[in-house]
Amino acid sequence: GENVEQHPSTLSVQEGDSAVIKCTYSDSASNYFPWYKQELGKGPQLIIDIRSNVGEKKDQRIAVTLNKTAKHFSLHITETQPEDSAVYFCAASNKAAGNKLTFGGGTRVLVKP
Amino acid sequence: GAVVSQHPSRVICKSGTSVKIECRSLDFQATTMFWYRQFPKQSLMLMATSNEGSKATYEQGVEKDKFLINHASLTLSTLTVTSAHPEDSSFYICSARDSVGVQETQYFGPGTRLLVL
């Protein structure tokens, strides 16, 4: 089955700086890669996703890049703000596996004011 | 749009009792819903896939007689933790996939925190 590795497990940045989280996946058939933000005591919230036919996607301060050959994808947050502090999860899925999501281990991001 | 609710948000019960958690898609129909379990400071682990009108599909290691799933309508799935024990204490989260929308996208509920005494 699919295995998703996520790094780093914790990330501390100064407000205004950029944050980058990286994930690798094992199943070359995976074709959908969402990123979720989870605040304490709440459910995950979809913040951005990318499909395998696209190499990069951007939404305001958030961008995701995908390298299918290397089987890795990354989340980039620019101009970080204290409200960006949360746990971020990457995930991967493919249609053949019923579109079930396999999650990375999560990255705890702390933005220091 | 794409709102998923869960009820209750928090429940405390005695060991040996059963607890039912509801997951509803509020503004879309979901033929498929998923149930996850999350321990403190850990990632989400898929427990089962809930399909409307048919039996749920459980992940390896998840006891189907322990975690009963019913998906009786296009907007409601329930998870019943039967004869709960302290080791079942966890954060249970459901997600739903829009039947007519983009098939891969899952929208998550706010979670239910279960504490078994």
Side-chain angles (χ1 to χ4, degrees):
Chain A
E2 175 67 281
N3 182 50
V4 179
E5 300 282 342
Q6 183 171 347
H7 298 280
S9 57
T10 59
L11 180 60
S12 182
V13 297
Q14 206 66 39
E15 182 178 0
D17 288 349
S18 295
V20 180
I21 304 171
K22 298 182 179 182
C23 288
T24 60
Y25 61 99
S26 61
D27 189 347
S28 57
S30 289
N31 57 2
Y32 175 65
F33 309 92
W35 286 88
Y36 288 89
K37 176 183 180 182
Q38 186 178 28
E39 297 178 344
L40 190 62
K42 298 184 179 180
Q45 178 187 8
L46 178 69
I47 56 172
I48 196 167
D49 56 13
I50 192 168
R51 288 170 178 80
S52 58
N53 58 345
V54 177
E56 186 174 354
K57 185 177 179 180
K58 189 174 182 181
D59 183 3
Q60 299 182 348
R61 296 187 297 108
I62 295 173
V64 58
T65 59
L66 171 65
N67 184 326
K68 282 192 299 182
T69 302
K71 288 191 281 190
H72 66 68
F73 55 114
S74 301
L75 177 71
H76 304 251
I77 306 174
T78 58
E79 300 173 30
T80 54
Q81 302 167 2
E83 50 265 38
D84 294 329
S85 296
V87 180
Y88 291 80
F89 291 98
C90 64
S93 74
N94 72 77
K95 192 172 183 178
N99 288 322
K100 293 189 292 186
L101 290 173
T102 300
F103 283 86
T107 297
R108 188 172 300 274
V109 175
L110 175 63
V111 180
K112 295 178 289 186
Chain B
V3 178
V4 177
S5 70
Q6 279 184 244
H7 179 80
S9 58
R10 183 185 298 264
V11 58
I12 301 173
C13 69
K14 292 181 178 180
S15 185
T17 60
S18 294
V19 175
K20 179 185 283 189
I21 303 170
E22 294 185 348
C23 176
R24 293 181 185 272
S25 55
L26 298 186
D27 49 2
F28 64 98
Q29 294 184 330
T31 52
T32 303
M33 292 183 173
F34 301 88
W35 286 95
Y36 296 82
R37 183 172 180 175
Q38 185 179 35
F39 291 108
K41 297 187 178 181
Q42 293 189 21
S43 189
L44 287 80
M45 295 300 297
L46 179 65
M47 298 175 65
T49 302
S50 170
N51 300 295
E52 187 267 337
S54 63
K55 290 183 179 180
T57 304
Y58 291 81
E59 295 300 300
Q60 190 173 8
V62 179
E63 299 175 58
K64 59 181 174 65
D65 295 329
K66 172 79 173 174
F67 299 98
L68 300 179
I69 292 173
N70 185 286
H71 193 156
S73 78
L74 286 172
T75 59
L76 173 65
S77 175
T78 61
L79 169 68
T80 300
V81 183
T82 62
S83 186
H85 291 285
E87 57 265 31
D88 298 322
S89 298
S90 189
F91 193 48
Y92 292 87
I93 314 171
C94 71
S95 71
R97 215 162 62 194
D98 190 336
S99 301
V100 298
V102 178
Q103 284 297 293
E104 306 97 334
T105 304
Q106 291 185 28
Y107 301 98
F108 283 81
T112 297
R113 188 161 302 282
L114 170 64
L115 177 61
V116 184
L117 301 176

